Each structure stands twice: as structure tokens, then as C-alpha cells.
Amino acid sequence: MPNLPPLPPPENLLRHATSPYLLQHAGNPVHWRPWGPEALAEAQATGKPILLSIGYAACHWCHVMAHESFEDPETAALMNRLFVNIKVDREERPDIDALYMSALHLLGEQGGWPLTMFLTPRAEPFWGGTYFPPEPRWGRPSFRQVLLGVAEAYRNEGDKVAQNVSALKGALSRMAEAKPGPFPTEALLDRVARALVRATDAREGGLAGAPKFPNPPIFRFLWHMHFRLGQPACAEVVHLLLRRMSQGGIYDHLGGGYARYSVDAIWLVPHFEKMLYDNAQLLELLALAQAAAPDPLYAERAAETVAWLEREMLTEWGAFASSLDADSEGEEGRFYLWTEAEVDALLPPEDAALFKAIYDVSAEGNWEHRVILNRRRHAERLSDAEEATLARCRRALFEARAKRVPPGRDDKVLADWNGLAIAALARAAAAFGRPEWLALARRAFSFVSGTMAARDGRLLHAWRAGRAGAAGLLEDHAAMARAALALHETTGEPSCLARAIAWAEAADRHFAAPGGGYFESAADATDVLIRSRSAADNATPSGNGLMAEIQARLFHLTGEDRWRQAAERTIGAFAGHEGIGAMPTLLAAADLLAEGASVVVAGDPEDPAARALEQAALAHPDPALVLLRAPRPDALPPGHPAGGKGPLAGRPAAYVCRGGTCSPPVADPAALRLALARRPPPVPAPAHGAAPPA
């Protein structure tokens, strides 16, 4: 192959990476290569199949497999002889991870990390799995057995490998096709919402069963549907989720923040890693719940979680790091666990008795003879004096814990996850009356929009140590555009609206797919076998769902029909999918487009009365709401139903506009809240391709 570059040296090349996960493996005897054209060219030049290993820095089982296999010289020698070995940080290249995780699912295997996939030299998947033990165990072959078996099959069973490749590539290509259908109706939204409510755990909250994940996109959709459909159950399951999680072991009662999931069905035993994206979305849910039903628990958990973000996740550049590891000193959860003796040694006896009773501290422990602090059995609020004692105890234990070896921090900055955090902080600042949280959001936004901006108008996906780690993906532009709109509505700054429009337009230029919707990878991505297109939400909202939300919100904010058309194209590309119930963010965007309300505040924005009206709108719990400021009657978009309307008897006034008509003006926040609560019955949804009522 004369056009291929010379082969790289037979050594581990991860020392040149920026990703903390890749750097964790830089000392392995495996000849790891980072994903990219050079590694793929090496596979083609040598004819060796590719062993692709995908994980992330906070992943416990990734660490286990690394210690057991990748650090073992004999296993590494086998890998080096038989394969071109490529290591990927799933957080840095979620497009690569999503593609090969889909291939694993098509093989009938349950997904997870570490993801271990075997590819042809052209990066075509033909077999895979997740964690493999060093010796046969739990009905699984050893990793060395897998290596030998896959290499032999690739060498001697070419027909079977080719069949697998053809079937998988065909299925992956079909998954990326548009599946057009009619605009989602109220009946569809109702059917999806009811099915999701039925899938929840009526006692413990969250989805039924174990392990338990927060699934914020699902519960944000249900919250949205409470206002759309008037179903109390949709809000009740959100409140139950937040209360159970916030008193369970999945929450860090000393340092704040929620772990990624619990391994059981009762939120007691967490998988101890903490992710930025989970905490961002849960903070937004706490803010929405607080706006509807103020609760000291929500206020405390929000404040503690933001304090954790600022103390442990804020980088020196002002943006937020990605995650904290599950492990410290080589042991999962070691940093967070206690014994009764440790608690007794730190607290006065009279305080210790109360603390141990409330936080489930006992000699036998509640997990592997140690204690995970939780308030599951004592979730009710105690007297002010008792709560003050508990707070004093928590501070003492927190200070003692701070002397332990902390979990590792993955300090790379991801544009999409920071976008989720910025939007959440903006909403929480309004809901909880904490303007300093808005300052945190603006600081992170400034870094991502400045330092992580490419020359062609796109964003970078990852940044660390002064270097870009990966090119921007759809989710980066969608999440940051959503963050920009959150800041625009919160502050009124026109520059934030302009940023959101620019990123939405960049997505159109670089990610738009035939038939509507968007590919995850840009058009100039050269190392992606198949460009994925999906609107299914996972632990984070899908890029296509977020794009539909942004386009719907831009339509209400600007009045420009191009954004209505864009939202309909995005939604319509997936509306015929039989799995549309797995696309709650997209469905919520459809409702926002058709039924969203505009609150117009007419009057001088510097007038305290105008600011009070704005605050009432920003702190309202209905997510299908946009705020427009009209310092002059001609400041609104052309054709807006509130156009020409102004202050009321010289005082700033607010108008609530839905479906082409506006409420009478109101001049005080309480009256505005009442006007927003009187949501009229939904109008018929437009047919696909038709405009919502003007």
C-alpha cells in the first residue's frame, strides 16, 4: 500500500495524549495507539485486526481490566503480536463509542464499559464484549482465550467474519436513516408519558429495578408533560425520584453531588464515580421542582451540589471538569466509606448517637462491613436544633475525609457537558434566588465559547492542558446553544442569542443529514466508519432532541419562520420511528414548538418592577416557556401577538402569549404567576410540515 505512512514504533503511544483516561494507560506494556487515521492506516498496512478498547477515567471496571490484563506482560505480548491495539476515551470520542456500542448491541450483548470490540483493518466490527477476566470466571472465557480465539477466527474463518461485518454494517447504516412521520400528537405524548410513569418504581422512585440510574431526560420530559397534559402523576414521580435520591447513599451527604447510579434498587449503594452531566441535569430538575413546590431538601441539595461543582469540579480556566473517579488507592468507594469506630472517634458521644441513628451508621455497616452514609430511613426533617447538630457532625466528617487520598479527577473540559451545567446553573440561579450561581455559569460559558471556538465557527469537543482533544460534535453545538439561550433569557444579553444562532447555523453547515435531523459527527470526519444519526436519549439528552428544542425556542424568541421549519424537519426525521418513546427530549421539543408560551415584559429593563416580572417568569416551573423583553413597543419580532403592546399605566407590564393570542397585561409578579398557571387546553397539533397557529 504505497500511500500509507510508515509504521509507528512498536511502543505505547498514549503518552502523547491529552485525555486523562488514555494517560492512565500510557505505562501499559501494550502497544496502544490513540484512535485516528494513523492507527487505522497501521492496521491496513499490517493486515492485523484491530482490538478496540473504550472506557473513561472514572470507570471502575476499566481500572480492573487494566490491572488484570493490560498491565500483565504476557497478555500484552499476545495483544501486540495479534492485533493493532487502539484505546479510546468514550468521553472524548462519544461518536466512536456510540457506533461500536450499537454494534455490540446488534450482536445481542449487553453494553457497558470497558467496551472491547474486534474490528477488521478497515475498522469494521465483527465481534465484541465488555469486561473479560484474566482467568475463566462467571461463565466468561479469559481475556487471553478471547484474544487467541478471535485471532484464529479472523485468520481461518474469513467467510464468517465477512458475514458478521456485512450484517453489522448494514444494520448500523439502517439505524442512521431518517424515519419520517407525522408531527407528534397529544395522544402520542399522553401514551408515552403514561407508559413511562408505569415503568417507575412507586416506592423508591426512578425506573423500577436495579441497577438504578437517574435518567434525567426521562424525568424532565415527565415534568414537562405534567404541564402539557395536566397529569399530576407526571410531577409526582419526579418529586419522588429527587427525594429518594437526595436521601439515599447515591448522594454524597458530606461533600455534595450525586454518584452515577446505584447498584441496587433502593439508591443505597452507589457506583461511586461522579459525573458532571448527571449533576448538571439533576440540578436543573431540583430547580424545576423547587419552583413548583419549594422544599428545604431541594434547596439544600442544590446548594450542596453547586458547592461541590465549585470546590471540586471547577478548573482554573473557569469551566468544569468531567468527572471524579469511583476509586481511590485502588479501591472502589474508599474515599467515601466509614466505620462506626471512625465516626465515634471524630464526634462527641452526644452528637454521635444522633448522627449514627439518622445516617445508618452501625458496627456491622450497610455495605461490605462499612458504612455508606444515607438518610433513607430517616428522611423526615428533624427539629432545627437537631438539624444543626447533624450539620456540625457532617462538617467534622468532611474535614476528616479531606485528609484522605481523593479520587482522581478527569479535568478535561467537554463543551457539551459544560453546556448542560451552564443551562442548569442559569435556571437554578433564578429558582433559588442565587445570583452567584449565574456568575459561575457565565464564567464557564466565556471559556467554552472563547477558548474552545474553532476558526470556522464550530466548537471543539474536548480541551485539556492547553490542547484540543477532539473536534466538535453535534451535542457540543446543541448543548452550548441551549446554554446560550438560557443565559440570554436570564440576562437579556443579545450577544448570547447571537451565539446560539451562530452555533445552530454551524450545526446546519456541518452536521445536517439528508431527510432531516443531524449526524453526530461532522461532514469532514475522516475516521468514522458510519456517521450515526439518532434522537434516542441516554444518560444525556440526544443532540437531535436538543437541536429541536433550540430551534423551537429560537422560533418563539425571534419570530423567524426558518426556525419553525427547521424544528419540524428535525422532529419529522424521527417521528415515524417505532422507538420514539425513547426520545423524550425530542417529544418535549415538539410540545415547546406547538404549545410553548411567550412571556413578554414591556417596559424599561432597568426598572425594578420589570426585573420582578422577569424573575417571576424565569422562576416558573413550566419548561415550555420563553421570556422576551420589550423596552419599546417595536422591540418584538415582526408579527408577534404582543407587538405594539406596552406598559400598563406607565408601569412595566407582562403579557402571556400562547397560540397567537396574549393575556391582558399584568403588572405584578403574583398576577403573572396566576396567568401562567391558567394554561388553556392544547390546540390541535399541526400536521407534519404545517405551521403551528400563529
Side-chain angles (χ1 to χ4, degrees):
M1 295 185 182
N3 294 325
L4 293 175
L7 293 178
E11 61 184 11
N12 188 330
L13 302 181
L14 297 186
R15 68 182 185 278
H16 306 297
T18 58
S19 156
Y21 174 66
L22 298 189
L23 292 172
Q24 285 175 357
H25 295 80
N28 295 165
V30 178
H31 296 163
W32 289 120
R33 277 80 174 96
W35 181 272
E38 297 83 1
L40 300 179
E42 179 184 352
Q44 293 182 46
T46 61
K48 289 182 179 181
I50 294 169
L51 190 161
L52 176 64
S53 177
I54 303 179
Y56 57 101
C59 168
H60 170 70
W61 285 102
C62 300
H63 301 329
V64 172
M65 191 165 177
H67 296 322
E68 292 176 342
S69 295
F70 303 151
E71 295 174 5
D72 176 62
E74 292 184 14
T75 303
L78 198 59
M79 294 169 65
N80 297 336
R81 178 165 60 85
L82 299 176
F83 299 94
V84 171
N85 302 289
I86 302 180
K87 178 64 75 172
V88 168
D89 180 345
R90 69 171 296 260
E91 297 171 0
E92 196 171 63
R93 290 301 303 267
D95 53 340
I96 300 299
D97 176 60
L99 178 68
Y100 293 108
M101 187 66 76
S102 294
L104 182 68
H105 291 157
L106 289 167
L107 289 167
E109 297 289 333
Q110 185 175 352
W113 297 276
L115 174 60
T116 307
M117 291 299 294
F118 295 93
L119 322 178
T120 71
R122 296 187 178 276
E124 302 156 320
F126 63 90
W127 195 77
T130 53
Y131 164 81
F132 291 103
E135 304 296 338
R137 167 187 321 159
W138 308 313
R140 296 186 183 188
S142 74
F143 187 49
R144 287 186 293 273
Q145 288 174 326
V146 168
L147 296 173
L148 291 169
V150 169
E152 182 178 358
Y154 183 79
R155 188 169 54 247
N156 299 325
E157 300 179 40
D159 289 346
K160 289 184 179 179
V161 170
Q163 287 174 5
N164 269 19
V165 165
S166 177
L168 290 172
K169 285 183 68 178
L172 291 168
S173 295
R174 289 190 293 274
M175 289 171 65
E177 294 173 353
K179 295 177 177 61
F183 197 89
T185 63
E186 180 187 356
L188 172 63
L189 297 176
D190 183 79
R191 188 164 63 249
V192 172
R194 289 178 184 274
L196 289 173
V197 169
R198 286 195 300 271
T200 63
D201 183 333
R203 179 180 177 85
E204 297 295 339
L207 297 184
K212 268 195 184 311
F213 288 83
N215 294 299
I218 289 175
F219 288 92
R220 191 181 189 279
F221 168 75
L222 288 174
W223 185 263
H224 190 134
M225 288 301 100
H226 165 62
F227 294 93
R228 170 68 156 95
L229 304 170
Q231 291 185 9
C234 289
E236 290 165 4
V237 296
V238 177
H239 286 296
L240 181 62
L241 169 82
L242 293 174
R243 290 179 181 132
R244 290 289 191 266
M245 284 187 64
S246 294
Q247 299 290 43
I250 193 172
Y251 183 75
D252 180 358
H253 291 265
L254 301 184
Y258 297 83
R260 181 166 162 253
Y261 67 92
S262 71
V263 302
D264 52 35
I266 58 174
W267 305 114
L268 173 61
V269 181
H271 198 35
F272 291 89
E273 68 227 40
K274 292 184 190 175
M275 316 301 292
L276 176 62
Y277 63 77
D278 282 322
N279 285 279
Q281 294 176 94
L282 289 168
L283 176 62
E284 184 170 1
L285 277 180
L286 286 167
L288 291 168
Q290 175 75 7
D295 188 321
L297 177 65
Y298 297 156
E300 288 170 3
R301 294 298 177 262
E304 292 160 355
T305 296
V306 175
W308 166 73
L309 285 171
E310 188 170 14
R311 183 183 66 248
E312 298 185 34
M313 300 299 284
L314 192 65
T315 67
E316 61 186 287
W317 310 287
F320 295 102
S322 297
S323 64
L324 292 183
D325 208 325
D327 299 4
S328 55
E329 300 183 77
E331 184 179 336
E332 183 183 12
R334 183 181 180 93
F335 183 74
Y336 301 99
L337 298 170
W338 295 89
T339 65
E340 183 184 41
E342 289 172 325
V343 172
D344 285 336
L346 290 166
L347 302 179
E350 62 276 13
D351 291 354
L354 176 65
F355 184 85
K356 290 193 298 183
I358 299 301
Y359 282 95
D360 196 18
V361 179
S362 64
E364 62 272 17
N366 52 27
W367 183 63
E368 296 186 355
H369 308 293
R370 285 176 294 180
V371 173
I372 299 168
L373 298 177
N374 73 93
R375 287 186 68 160
R376 289 186 62 254
R377 296 176 182 172
H378 298 279
E380 71 283 353
R381 191 164 185 84
L382 306 181
S383 69
D384 290 347
E386 289 172 314
E387 290 292 346
T389 297
L390 294 175
R392 186 168 62 247
C393 294
R394 291 196 303 271
R395 283 194 298 272
L397 266 63
F398 175 79
E399 291 169 1
R401 193 180 77 174
K403 298 173 184 177
R404 298 175 177 177
V405 176
R409 184 177 78 159
D410 185 332
D411 63 353
K412 67 176 178 292
V413 174
L414 299 177
D416 54 345
W417 295 3
N418 270 266
L420 295 175
I422 292 162
L425 285 165
R427 182 175 286 278
F432 293 101
R434 300 292 293 267
E436 68 274 21
W437 296 356
L438 183 60
L440 270 180
R442 295 176 77 159
R443 186 180 174 195
F445 184 83
S446 177
F447 176 83
V448 177
S449 62
T451 304
M452 297 180 69
R455 293 181 180 178
D456 62 1
R458 278 186 279 182
L459 287 163
L460 301 171
H461 172 62
W463 188 95
R464 182 178 181 272
R467 293 169 54 192
L473 301 167
L474 173 64
E475 283 77 4
D476 301 305
H477 298 81
M480 282 301 295
R482 181 172 178 268
L485 291 180
L487 289 177
H488 168 68
E489 292 189 54
T490 305
T491 66
E493 293 178 6
S495 62
C496 292
L497 177 61
R499 289 272 194 185
I501 291 171
W503 287 328
E505 291 173 339
D508 278 333
R509 289 194 303 272
H510 299 284
F511 299 91
Y518 298 86
F519 291 120
E520 185 171 8
S521 304
D524 56 2
T526 60
D527 58 355
V528 181
L529 180 68
I530 294 169
R531 294 171 73 199
S532 302
R533 169 172 43 180
S534 173
D537 294 324
N538 290 300
T540 56
S542 71
N544 276 289
L546 289 177
M547 282 302 302
E549 178 185 334
I550 292 151
Q551 292 159 343
R553 197 167 286 275
L554 284 172
F555 170 62
H556 291 299
L557 287 169
T558 68
E560 295 180 24
D561 197 57
R562 63 169 175 146
W563 295 117
R564 176 192 60 77
Q565 295 179 27
E568 287 198 340
R569 283 195 303 271
T570 303
I571 295 163
F574 305 96
H577 202 295
E578 63 181 14
I580 196 169
M583 305 174 187
T585 301
L586 188 85
L587 292 175
D591 176 61
L592 173 61
L593 179 64
E595 295 295 323
S598 299
V599 175
V600 176
V601 176
D604 181 1
E606 298 302 317
D607 190 317
R611 288 201 294 269
L613 291 169
E614 293 168 7
Q615 175 61 25
L618 291 169
H620 194 268
D622 187 349
L625 191 70
V626 298
L627 171 64
L628 292 86
R629 295 167 176 83
R632 305 176 314 280
D634 63 351
L636 291 172
H640 194 284
K645 299 181 186 294
L648 180 64
R651 295 178 59 198
Y655 302 82
V656 178
C657 305
R658 299 181 191 273
T661 61
C662 298
S663 69
V666 295
D668 70 88
L672 175 56
R673 285 189 285 269
L674 284 174
L676 286 168
R678 289 192 293 267
R679 185 168 182 174
V683 298
H688 181 51

